[in-house]
Amino acid sequence: MKLLHIDASPRTVRSVTRKLSAVFVSALRLSHTDLQVTHRDVGHNPPPFISDAWIGAAFAQGDFEDPSMKGALHHSDELASELLTCDALLIASPMHNFHVSASLKAWIDQVVRTDMTFKITEEGPVPLVRGKKALVVTSRGGFVAGTAYDFQEPYLRTILGFIGITDVTFIHAEGVNSSDQDRDDAITTASVKLVALAETW
Ligand SMILES: Cc1cc2nc3c(=O)[nH]c(=O)nc-3n(C[C@H](O)[C@H](O)[C@H](O)COP(=O)(O)O)c2cc1C
């Protein structure tokens, strides 16, 4: 199994999502001895925001007026290729202001690209990413799952589905900012779920 592992927290040792994604990868190594992991740390090395040149090049459909346009897609080519060649996707996503972190949104903007991960047809948009499953591990300071404040899970389900990834599991660690005890409890509860999932994933 080829796993693309995205960490999107700007934090390091205090990051809950980094801890949880590491727990899952360790557990997955036990059930998939052939596991190959590509680790993309967008939390510490965010992809650039898309630019005027990026948009022009992405919609030029390979018909570049000048060669420098191709350069604008350099990061997108690399990141989209990692996504297209993996079997499974693990996203560790901290909730920031009720949504995904800006660095994860920058990654999404680089990989959701016409004629690369979706295409527009007369019948409407068609996804181009096929046969992959995804696990999204989130952490939230409060308890927002299933409420109107959760723009993170609905957004990720929609954008992953738009490019063709519809087999998506979410595991949330919630209430992590109430106290150290609550944080530890949330990490333990989520870790138990992750280890169980890794056995059958
Ligand atoms: C800038 C920022 C914004 C946050 N916004 C929210 C929020 O909207 N709702 C929430 O429940 N927690 C919020 N939190 C708390 C984080 O979701 C929580 O600390 C989580 O553990 C972050 O993941 P990480 O530990 O992997 O960085 C925020 C934290 C930061 C630093």
Side-chain angles (χ1 to χ4, degrees), residues 4-86:
L4 175 58
H5 171 188
I6 311 282
D7 269 317
S9 174
R11 284 190 173 124
T12 308
V13 286
R14 282 287 294 176
S15 165
V16 174
T17 54
R18 282 179 189 275
K19 259 189 191 59
L20 294 175
S21 66
V23 164
F24 185 71
V25 172
S26 298
L28 200 61
R29 283 195 195 285
L30 300 177
S31 56
H32 291 78
T33 47
D34 63 338
L35 188 70
Q36 294 173 39
V37 181
T38 300
H39 186 215
R40 196 37 89 167
D41 191 341
V42 303
H44 290 166
N45 298 295
F49 291 148
I50 60 168
S51 60
D52 189 30
W54 189 101
I55 295 167
F59 287 93
Q61 296 186 310
D63 183 15
F64 300 126
E65 286 158 22
D66 78 77
S68 68
M69 282 179 91
K70 178 77 186 126
L73 296 178
H74 164 74
H75 291 283
S76 175
D77 286 345
E78 191 177 352
L79 297 173
S81 150
E82 287 173 357
L83 178 62
L84 287 163
T85 56
C86 76

Side-chain angles (χ1 to χ4, degrees), residues 95 138 140 142-150 153 172 174:
M95 174 172 273
T138 81
R140 290 99 179 264
F143 291 89
V144 296
T147 74
Y149 294 99
D150 186 357
E153 176 173 343
H172 303 293
E174 292 208 293

